[in-house]
């Protein structure tokens, strides 16, 4: 008789939290929708939130990230095809998003109030489950306003860009039911300095009258190479020529593949489900969009939209990390209590909850600013869009990196394995901070915007001052920020990160003061605006005495 008793049952361990409605369990998001008056979108969002929360959808996200895209450079007879193969889970997830109409929602009905908020909510919900599929969705959406200004292109592409159908076929544009658009800016020698571009575009005819160009060069990062077309920055005719923005389709009008040769797919830290590539143009055919010499402003307009999506994507990851951490700590026990009842863990969870709700509030206010500016000349909306978009991208995306790591620690060793959902969030988080401009680029962009639009800061001050009327801590922080901005111009760049951090924290405090319960707003202000630098060190290093932690955690994920 064996003297060993190998036990196979496992106790006090719990799987990732699934099978829940992402909207029904998020009071802060529900409040944002109510404030924006988007009752018309709630039925769609509720159904989508339920679909996303299914365990099967979580499994699709895991599969799409484990079975990464594969490049097939040639067919069986040696013909170059530069084809990227995706796991079926990728197509299932991307199809879910497109079929909800979320790619085109902000542009379908300009008179529809709250259309940008409704879209932002859908993007935020999807981003809590899978992030890589949002890359082609983001670029496609951001291309719509640019292409809409090109009558000939829009006549051919508009209906396909606005389509809710999902068409994954790799065939010419004329045969497609819907389209995906990517972008190509970055080159090996340039990085964030897009003006260091060396890719050349030469007119097919001497006068450039036909609008078509032959493009030769290289892109170090070419996002989503299986898109139906890309917007590409290239120099016109010569190495020191002006820059233009070009529409470069995957298939030419004659039914042959365009000469955009995918050299390799990038082996990225995260964003594994999505393909990013390095490509070479060998007499590829493209069409100039926008004006000659205005390539950078044209592509930066597209990038402004994608930066908003980066903010929302990072806010979604903060929410996902918070939900998983809260659900886990409420079930797992240690030292005689559930983890969520342990005082120090409660500090960590409360800090995560405050950061998540503040990121959501900021994201939704930004989305509203895009809608308000679309509706007409609104100086405050322009200030929010031009100044607060790069500011929010800097801060929220940075916080996503730090807080996803903290959430992973909540799970201990179980969080530090590739199978863990929070581990995928941790690997994914840096992409939004890097893509479309790193942290330093965003801070410099804030300074640049303020130097060009001198009334923007005053517009923001006036907006924030309304919330500071009965909140002396916000008023004091505003005075301190104003003093920082009066530093000599040659000193501002060196303190740009400090300036932008303070600007965002004040904006978040004001938004929560206006729209969140008092226990949330007071806790955020107490823990974010108290110190001169505006942050209190590591996550959970807050003084919870006097804070209603029970209410904060219950709002974060109602039991």
């Amino acid at each position: 008789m064996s003297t060993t008793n190998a036990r196979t049952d496992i106790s006090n361990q719990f799987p990732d939290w699934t099978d829940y409605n992402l909207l029904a369990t998020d009071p802060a998001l529900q409040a944002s929708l109510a404030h924006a008056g988007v009752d018309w979108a709630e039925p769609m969002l509720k159904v989508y939130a339920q679909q996303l929360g299914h365990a099967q959808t979580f499994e699709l996200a895991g599969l799409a990230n484990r079975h990464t895209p594969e490049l097939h450079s040639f067919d069986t007879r040696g013909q170059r095809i530069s084809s990227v193969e995706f796991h079926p889970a990728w197509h299932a997830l991307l199809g879910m998003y497109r079929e909800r109409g979320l790619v085109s929602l902000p542009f379908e009905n300009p008179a529809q109030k709250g259309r940008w908020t409704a879209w932002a909510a859908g993007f935020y919900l999807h981003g809590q489950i899978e992030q890589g599929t949002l890359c082609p969705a983001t670029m496609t959406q951001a291309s719509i306003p640019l292409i809409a200004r090109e009558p000939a292109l829009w006549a051919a592409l508009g209906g396909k860009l606005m389509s809710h159908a999902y068409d994954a076929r790799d065939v010419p544009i004329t045969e497609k039911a819907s389209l995906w658009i990517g972008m190509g800016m970055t080159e090996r020698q340039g990085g964030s300095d897009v003006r260091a571009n060396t890719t050349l575009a030469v007119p097919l005819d001497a006068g450039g009258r036909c609008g078509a160009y032959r493009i030769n060069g290289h892109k170090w990062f070419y996002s989503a190479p299986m898109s139906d077309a890309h917007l590409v920055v290239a120099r016109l005719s010569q190495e020191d020529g002006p820059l233009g923005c070009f529409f470069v389709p995957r298939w030419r009008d004659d039914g042959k593949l365009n000469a955009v040769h995918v050299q390799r797919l990038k082996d990225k830290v995260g964003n594994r489900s999505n393909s990013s590539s390095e490509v070479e143009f060998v007499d590829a055919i493209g069409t100039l969009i926008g004006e000659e010499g205005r390539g950078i402003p044209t592509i930066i307009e597209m990038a402004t939209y994608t930066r908003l999506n980066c903010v929302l994507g990072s806010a979604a990851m903060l929410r996902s990390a918070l939900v998983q951490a809260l659900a886990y700590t409420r079930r797992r026990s240690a030292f005689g209590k559930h983890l969520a009842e342990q005082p120090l863990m409660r500090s960590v969870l409360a800090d995560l909850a405050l950061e998540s709700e503040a990121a959501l509030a900021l994201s939704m206010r930004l989305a509203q600013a895009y809608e308000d500016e679309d509706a007409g000349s609104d100086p405050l909306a322009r200030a929010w869009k031009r100044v607060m978009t790069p500011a929010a991208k800097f801060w929220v995306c940075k916080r996503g990196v730090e807080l996803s790591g903290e959430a992973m620690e909540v799970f201990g060793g179980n969080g530090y394995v590739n199978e863990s959902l929070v581990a995928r969030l941790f690997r994914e988080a840096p992409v939004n901070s890097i893509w479309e401009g790193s942290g330093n680029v965003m801070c410099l962009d804030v300074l640049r915007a303020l130097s060009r639009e001198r009334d923007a800061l005053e517009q923001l001050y006036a907006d924030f001052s309304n919330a500071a009327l009965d909140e002396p801590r916000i008023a004091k922080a505003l005075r301190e920020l104003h003093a920082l901005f009066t530093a000599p111009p040659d000193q501002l760049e060196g303190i740009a990160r400090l300036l932008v951090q303070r600007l965002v924290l004040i904006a978040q405090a004001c938004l929560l003061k206006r729209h969140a319960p008092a226990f949330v707003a007071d806790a955020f202000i107490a823990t974010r605006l108290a110190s001169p630098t505006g942050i209190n060190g590591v996550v959970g290093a807050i003084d919870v005495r006097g804070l209603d932690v029970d209410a904060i955690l219950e709002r974060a994920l109602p039991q």
Side-chain angles (χ1 to χ4, degrees):
M1 183 175 185
S2 172
T3 58
T4 61
N5 183 19
R7 298 193 58 180
T8 58
D9 58 309
I10 299 173
S11 61
N12 203 28
Q13 291 290 353
F14 304 93
D16 293 329
W17 188 250
T18 64
D19 285 324
Y20 67 100
N21 187 301
L22 277 65
L23 179 57
T25 54
D26 191 345
L29 180 56
Q30 294 173 40
S32 293
L33 295 172
H35 175 72
V38 291
D39 295 350
W40 56 270
E42 285 197 26
M44 179 273 287
L45 292 171
K46 287 178 180 177
V47 172
Y48 197 38
Q50 187 67 43
Q51 182 183 17
L52 288 167
H54 286 160
Q56 297 94 318
T57 310
F58 278 84
E59 179 60 23
L60 288 174
L63 288 170
N65 282 272
R66 284 196 299 275
H67 301 281
T68 56
E70 295 183 17
L71 172 63
H72 302 289
S73 299
F74 302 93
D75 67 13
T76 57
R77 294 299 180 263
Q79 296 290 326
R80 183 181 285 275
I81 55 173
S82 293
S83 176
V84 181
E85 180 184 357
F86 292 87
H87 190 274
W90 163 272
H91 295 294
L93 290 162
L94 195 55
M96 285 168 53
Y97 187 86
R98 183 112 205 191
E99 288 159 6
R100 294 293 172 188
L102 291 166
V103 170
S104 55
L105 180 56
F107 309 109
E108 288 182 345
N109 182 1
Q112 180 67 69
K113 180 184 177 182
R115 64 190 186 280
W116 276 91
T117 299
W119 158 77
F123 189 96
Y124 179 74
L125 291 169
H126 189 102
Q128 292 176 48
I129 308 303
E130 210 287 311
Q131 297 78 38
T133 41
L134 291 177
C135 177
T138 287
M139 295 185 294
T140 302
Q141 177 194 7
S143 75
I144 290 174
L146 278 66
I147 296 174
R149 292 200 292 269
E150 304 292 326
L153 265 183
W154 187 252
L157 308 179
K160 299 173 189 288
L161 286 170
M162 302 293 280
S163 173
H164 295 189
Y166 180 63
D167 189 343
R169 294 175 300 156
D170 183 20
V171 295
I173 284 174
T174 54
E175 301 177 30
K176 294 292 292 284
S178 63
L179 304 178
W180 297 103
I181 307 295
M183 61 197 304
M185 294 188 293
T186 307
E187 297 191 357
R188 283 174 292 194
Q189 72 284 354
S192 296
D193 185 4
V194 182
R195 289 172 176 81
N197 199 294
T198 62
T199 300
L200 294 181
V202 178
L204 284 179
D205 69 331
R209 291 181 299 273
C210 69
Y213 288 73
R214 197 180 303 279
I215 301 173
N216 287 277
H218 182 276
K219 294 298 176 186
W220 186 241
F221 269 94
Y222 198 68
S223 297
M226 285 304 292
S227 297
D228 298 288
H230 284 73
L231 299 188
V232 173
V233 176
R235 292 201 176 275
L236 289 150
S237 301
Q238 53 191 359
E239 291 183 2
D240 59 349
L243 290 165
C245 182
F246 296 85
F247 179 86
V248 181
R250 175 162 166 79
W251 292 83
R252 300 187 325 202
D253 290 343
D254 61 7
K256 296 180 180 179
L257 278 172
N258 210 355
V260 181
H261 298 163
V262 178
Q263 304 297 303
R264 60 171 173 162
L265 300 184
K266 299 294 189 178
D267 188 8
K268 297 168 293 183
V269 172
N271 203 246
R272 305 286 292 176
S273 66
N274 178 45
S275 61
S276 301
S277 64
E278 182 181 342
V279 303
E280 183 180 9
F281 304 101
V282 186
D283 286 340
I285 304 302
T287 303
L288 180 69
I289 67 171
E291 301 175 25
E292 290 189 7
R294 296 283 296 169
I296 299 300
T298 300
I299 205 74
I300 288 299
E301 180 183 345
M302 184 176 180
T304 299
Y305 288 99
T306 63
R307 288 171 178 176
L308 169 62
N309 292 37
C310 287
V311 179
L312 275 160
S314 289
M317 283 187 270
L318 285 171
R319 173 65 187 172
S320 183
L322 168 66
V323 167
Q324 294 301 325
L326 260 174
Y328 183 71
T329 56
R330 284 171 174 171
R331 291 176 292 170
R332 181 168 169 80
S333 298
F335 308 110
K337 293 181 180 179
H338 285 121
L339 283 177
E341 297 171 341
Q342 300 286 0
L344 195 51
M345 180 61 77
R346 284 163 57 82
S347 297
V348 171
L349 295 171
D351 215 3
L352 289 171
L354 293 173
E355 197 71 37
S356 176
E357 182 156 354
L360 172 63
L362 185 63
S363 301
M364 291 300 180
R365 178 62 183 88
L366 272 177
Q368 184 61 50
Y370 280 63
E371 180 170 321
D372 291 343
E373 197 193 28
D374 283 351
S377 179
D378 184 336
L380 180 58
R382 180 169 177 79
W384 266 91
K385 184 177 178 180
R386 185 66 188 90
V387 177
M388 294 306 299
T389 297
K393 182 184 180 302
F394 165 73
W395 182 246
V396 175
C397 297
K398 289 286 186 191
R399 297 300 281 163
V401 176
E402 180 181 356
L403 274 73
S404 60
E406 191 68 51
M408 186 165 59
E409 187 174 323
V410 168
F411 292 80
N414 287 336
Y416 194 65
V417 291
N418 281 329
E419 295 89 344
S420 168
L421 191 156
V422 290
R424 187 170 81 239
L425 293 175
F426 180 70
R427 294 191 303 273
E428 186 77 24
V431 70
N432 286 334
S433 193
I434 295 169
W435 191 42
E436 300 301 357
S438 63
N440 282 354
V441 172
M442 291 300 96
C443 291
L444 294 174
D445 199 24
V446 171
L447 295 184
R448 190 176 301 111
L450 291 174
S451 68
R452 292 176 177 174
E453 303 181 29
R454 298 186 179 277
D455 66 335
L457 189 58
E458 295 309 316
Q459 290 284 342
L460 293 171
Y461 275 142
D463 187 28
F464 299 155
S465 294
N466 292 330
L469 292 175
D470 59 347
E471 179 45 75
R473 293 170 293 184
I474 295 179
K476 179 175 181 291
L478 270 173
R479 291 193 299 270
E480 292 170 347
L481 180 65
H482 191 273
L484 284 174
F485 271 112
T486 60
D490 62 341
Q491 295 180 13
L492 284 177
E493 183 174 326
I495 60 171
R497 284 191 172 215
L498 176 61
L499 288 169
V500 173
Q501 175 178 298
R502 292 293 288 173
L503 177 64
V504 173
L505 289 170
I506 290 170
Q508 289 178 319
C510 292
L511 291 169
L512 293 177
K513 184 69 178 175
R514 288 171 181 157
H515 304 304
F519 61 82
V520 172
D522 290 343
F524 185 88
I525 293 167
T527 56
R528 268 64 173 175
L529 298 186
S531 70
T533 58
I535 204 71
N536 286 315
V538 300
V539 178
I542 59 175
D543 188 349
V544 296
R545 296 172 297 180
L547 306 185
D548 193 343
V549 175
D550 286 337
I552 292 169
L553 298 184
E554 180 63 21
R555 176 174 172 82
L557 186 64
Q559 298 186 75

